[in-house]
Amino acid sequence: MFTNIKRLLIGRPLKSAELGEQKINKTKALAILSSDALSSVAYGPEQILIVLITVGAAAFWYSIPIAAGVLFLLTALIMSYRQIIYAYPHGGGAYVVSKTNLGVNPGLVAGGSLLVDYILTVAVSVSAGTDAITSAFPTLHDYNVEIAIVFVIFLTVLNLRGVTESASVLAYPVYLFVLALFILIGVGIFNILTGDVPQDLHAPIGTPVAGISLFILLRAFASGSSALTGVEAISNAIPNFKDPAPVNAARTLMMMGALLAILFSGIVTLAYFYGIVPKAEVTVVSQIAEETFGRNFMYFFIQGTTALILILAANTGYSAFPLLAVNLAKDKFIPRMFLVRGDRLGYSNGIIILGLASIFLIVAFHAETEHLIPLYAVGVFVPFTLSQTGMMLKWLREKPEGWVPKFIINTTGALISFIVTMMFFLTKFSQVWSILVFLPIIVLIFHRIKKHYEAVGDQLRLTTCEPALEIKGNVMIVPVAGMTHVVDNTLRYAKSLNPDQIIAVNVSFGREDQKKFEEKWEQWQPDIRLVTLHSYYRSILGPLTKFVDTVANKAKENDYQVTVVIPQFIPKKGWHNILHNQSSLLIRSYLLYKRDIVIATVPFHLKK
């Protein structure tokens, strides 16, 4: 049943030889890897206005120069990540750049930040998309969390079906969103130029504003920079591109940068000229669309595509998180299960973990985007700063031909990214302080996992592990609960191995039952020694493990091996297991952690 459901949801398994068919072209890559960055125009401009409204609506004209600063930072980041793609064509992005040029710990800080950031990408994107839906249909506002969880489950299943299939599905909504915003921006600017938008809706640029300060402007700039989240995703996902992968990735990155610049500047411009004031339950894009078209088909088309891309922007996390996890797992900093490809050749363990972690965050923050965005943004700008700094050191150390312009680009990007990061900590410390706690914890966990893998490798390596003990003989202990086909089957197996001794052990709760069992055993298996143990507290494990320990200690002195052979019957149907007490499973699980004891299970399959 489970297999059939899995096949229905995920599809037929793919052969390893079909991996090349799972690579994506630039058109699909732009859709699934740029959706996070492109979708951020739906909330990035709004974050600027939320800061400026604390001074007054007259301060909204500052959104224009602030937007210009964000676009300048975007240019620096796009140019820098283009260099990273060519310098590190196997992917890994900020983690690989930081680890290679700054050292292991900065690399782990970048990698840990990005892992958390991709989880936040899913949570923020889905929450923002849910906000867009409830802006159009306010009666659904109370069900934000439930709607968001359903979308996360849908995206998780879609990505488990494979990169190519998810890209084919998600490309249409992304390009519809771009088309919808181009129409909105085009019509909005036309209305402004033709005088359909009253001049008194906005304060003229340059209007003096009481209470404005450099601190507030920097805070607004930092908040607006949240629109740049997702820029690094392409550099992490280079292995997903068709050959030549670096060239295709770099071109996709440039196209994404151009689209993001146009859409972001267009929304900021319209918000300024329309005099849009941010509201709690209606997004800025929703207000602009309503002012431009009214509540007609175009309004709902824009809201629908905005909601779709905000939700599907989460797919950037699903594309980049598993590949970043692969790089960390190769270096043994996270569990090796992240290296395993699933039935559809995707890294399914990474996809599932990402989905579960995102649902946890959505529930914890009640799908409130405003509370998630600052933590999300600072989680992006820490790797931004580290990767730019790493590239600076790379150029200084290697000094290839034409390195000076590259060095200037990376220095500019590192400096601005550092300022933005500091502004988040200074202005929204109550919302982002947790990153100062969990990043050191994550790095510590990375090191502990690495240490564990090194210790395991050292103990398993033939050249370094302890020499095997010489075994002179074997004593087999068979726990028996009664005289059945299961026990008979197990005893026959034990005899076939010709051990030095077989000891059957029965744990009884009553003296009379104990005596009766001994008499029957003498008639049934007289050639096998039976030891009966009385349990005062109705426990099987206690007396049995004490006896096993006693025999094992004695056997070790004489270089004998003790093997516990456990009889177990297997029901014809899996659900029948819940009707039985599973004592054999309990005994095996407990004895596995005993040293110098071998555990063997002899199954007896029931036919009906």
Side-chain angles (χ1 to χ4, degrees):
M1 182 178 68
F2 174 77
T3 303
N4 291 336
I5 293 172
K6 182 180 176 184
R7 183 68 60 87
L8 176 67
L9 292 175
I10 299 175
R12 68 171 183 86
L14 299 176
K15 296 178 181 178
S16 298
E18 297 178 80
L19 181 60
E21 299 173 18
Q22 292 297 300
K23 304 290 185 179
I24 51 177
N25 58 30
K26 296 190 292 293
T27 305
K28 290 182 178 179
L30 181 63
I32 66 168
L33 293 173
S34 303
S35 53
D36 179 24
L38 295 178
S39 69
S40 60
V41 303
Y43 55 81
E46 187 167 6
Q47 295 301 306
I48 297 175
L49 299 180
I50 287 172
V51 175
L52 294 177
I53 194 64
T54 59
V55 179
F60 282 175
W61 72 265
Y62 281 103
S63 63
I64 302 299
I66 288 170
V70 172
L71 293 180
F72 179 76
L73 175 56
L74 170 65
T75 304
L77 290 173
I78 292 292
M79 297 303 294
S80 177
Y81 274 100
R82 184 174 181 275
Q83 295 168 13
I84 289 173
I85 287 171
Y86 285 114
Y88 300 94
H90 299 295
Y95 164 65
V96 172
V97 174
S98 303
K99 187 189 73 168
T100 305
N101 298 292
L102 300 176
V104 173
N105 284 328
L108 293 180
V109 169
S113 295
L114 283 173
L115 283 182
V116 175
D117 177 60
Y118 290 134
I119 297 170
L120 287 166
T121 295
V122 178
V124 167
S125 300
V126 171
S127 298
T130 305
D131 283 345
I133 292 173
T134 55
S135 291
F137 305 98
T139 54
L140 296 175
H141 193 71
D142 292 336
Y143 301 98
N144 271 19
V145 173
E146 290 82 358
I147 294 170
I149 290 173
V150 168
F151 282 127
V152 171
I153 293 171
F154 168 74
L155 286 171
T156 302
V157 172
L158 185 62
N159 278 275
L160 287 172
R161 295 185 66 89
V163 175
T164 303
E165 193 159 337
S166 62
S168 300
V169 172
L170 302 180
Y172 298 105
V174 173
Y175 288 118
L176 278 176
F177 168 77
V178 173
L179 174 65
L181 280 203
F182 268 116
I183 293 172
L184 174 64
I185 292 168
V187 174
I189 291 176
F190 177 80
N191 290 343
I192 293 167
L193 294 176
T194 55
D196 288 345
V197 179
Q199 293 292 316
D200 58 355
L201 292 178
H202 60 273
I205 293 176
T207 302
V209 180
I212 199 72
S213 66
L214 179 62
F215 181 79
I216 289 174
L217 294 177
L218 287 173
R219 182 182 170 192
F221 172 70
S223 296
S225 296
S226 62
L228 306 183
T229 53
V231 167
E232 81 298 329
I234 291 175
S235 67
N236 282 316
I238 300 172
N240 279 343
F241 283 85
K242 286 186 175 180
D243 292 329
V247 174
N248 288 330
R251 290 174 179 172
T252 305
L253 179 71
M254 297 299 287
M255 179 59 70
M256 178 192 71
L259 285 176
L260 179 56
I262 294 169
L263 297 180
F264 180 80
S265 55
I267 294 298
V268 169
T269 302
L270 292 185
Y272 164 65
F273 279 100
Y274 280 30
I276 300 296
V277 177
K279 298 177 182 177
E281 295 186 6
V282 184
T283 62
V284 164
V285 172
S286 175
Q287 292 184 66
I288 293 173
E290 189 169 3
E291 288 291 331
T292 305
F293 298 109
R295 280 200 168 239
N296 57 15
F297 168 78
M298 276 308 300
Y299 168 80
F300 286 104
F301 175 64
I302 290 166
Q303 280 301 98
T305 55
T306 301
L308 269 178
I309 194 174
L310 284 168
I311 293 166
L312 300 182
N315 207 69
T316 298
Y318 281 102
S319 301
F321 180 95
L323 292 173
L324 175 59
V326 165
N327 280 288
L328 282 160
K330 282 180 180 177
D331 294 334
K332 301 179 181 178
F333 287 115
I334 62 174
R336 296 183 65 83
M337 69 174 186
F338 288 101
L339 292 172
V340 178
R341 290 186 182 272
D343 285 354
R344 302 288 292 180
L345 298 177
Y347 294 105
S348 50
N349 288 328
I351 292 168
I352 293 169
I353 294 295
L354 176 61
L356 292 174
S358 304
I359 289 173
F360 172 79
L361 275 183
I362 288 169
V363 173
F365 285 88
H366 303 289
E368 293 179 6
T369 312
E370 176 64 22
H371 295 299
L372 289 169
I373 285 176
L375 190 62
Y376 171 43
V378 82
V380 175
F381 277 94
V382 168
F384 277 175
T385 306
L386 289 171
S387 62
Q388 307 301 308
T389 307
M391 291 301 288
M392 285 168 55
L393 294 180
K394 176 182 172 66
W395 303 135
L396 282 174
R397 186 174 62 253
E398 298 177 5
K399 294 184 179 177
E401 186 177 348
W403 67 276
V404 175
K406 296 177 180 179
F407 175 79
I408 293 171
I409 290 171
N410 291 130
T411 303
T412 305
L415 184 61
I416 301 175
S417 296
F418 178 74
I419 291 171
V420 172
T421 305
M422 289 299 101
M423 286 309 301
F424 271 111
F425 279 117
L426 289 173
T427 61
K428 301 194 176 185
F429 186 77
S430 61
Q431 292 172 274
V432 301
W433 63 268
S434 56
I435 200 169
L436 297 176
V437 176
F438 69 70
L439 266 184
I441 293 173
I442 288 174
V443 172
L444 177 62
I445 291 171
F446 285 160
H447 280 296
R448 293 299 297 269
I449 292 172
K450 172 90 168 180
K451 188 177 179 182
H452 166 77
Y453 280 127
E454 289 176 345
V456 170
D458 186 57
Q459 292 172 84
L460 296 182
R461 205 171 295 115
L462 288 173
T463 54
T464 58
C465 67
E466 298 175 5
L469 295 174
E470 293 293 331
I471 299 174
K472 293 180 179 178
N474 197 351
V475 176
M476 288 191 169
I477 299 173
V478 182
V480 296
M483 281 161 275
T484 63
H485 281 303
V486 188
V487 174
D488 184 53
N489 184 55
T490 304
L491 292 174
R492 288 176 186 274
Y493 172 77
K495 289 176 183 178
S496 72
L497 298 178
N498 297 317
D500 294 271
Q501 188 178 9
I502 299 175
I503 305 172
V505 182
N506 173 257
V507 180
S508 65
F509 302 150
R511 293 296 185 186
E512 289 186 12
D513 292 337
Q514 180 178 335
K515 188 176 180 181
K516 287 179 183 177
F517 189 85
E518 288 172 347
E519 290 172 355
K520 289 182 179 179
W521 186 271
E522 187 63 33
Q523 296 174 6
W524 184 50
Q525 295 283 354
D527 58 330
I528 294 179
R529 178 188 170 192
L530 173 69
V531 173
T532 53
L533 306 172
H534 180 69
S535 176
Y536 294 94
Y537 300 102
R538 300 157 307 284
S539 165
I540 295 175
L541 266 183
L544 177 62
T545 53
K546 271 187 181 179
F547 177 77
V548 170
D549 286 340
T550 302
V551 175
N553 291 334
K554 189 68 176 175
K556 189 176 181 181
E557 294 174 6
N558 300 297
D559 296 332
Y560 271 66
Q561 177 65 59
V562 171
T563 303
V564 179
V565 186
I566 302 173
Q568 181 173 357
F569 67 84
I570 309 298
K572 186 173 177 63
K573 296 183 182 296
W575 69 267
H576 290 170
N577 281 299
I578 63 175
L579 304 177
H580 304 281
N581 59 20
Q582 303 298 323
S583 55
S584 58
L585 180 64
L586 189 65
I587 293 168
R588 184 171 66 247
S589 301
Y590 187 84
L591 292 177
L592 274 173
Y593 292 93
K594 295 279 187 181
R595 288 178 179 270
D596 306 317
I597 295 172
V598 174
I599 319 296
T601 301
V602 181
F604 181 84
H605 293 268
L606 302 181
K607 295 179 181 178
K608 59 182 180 180

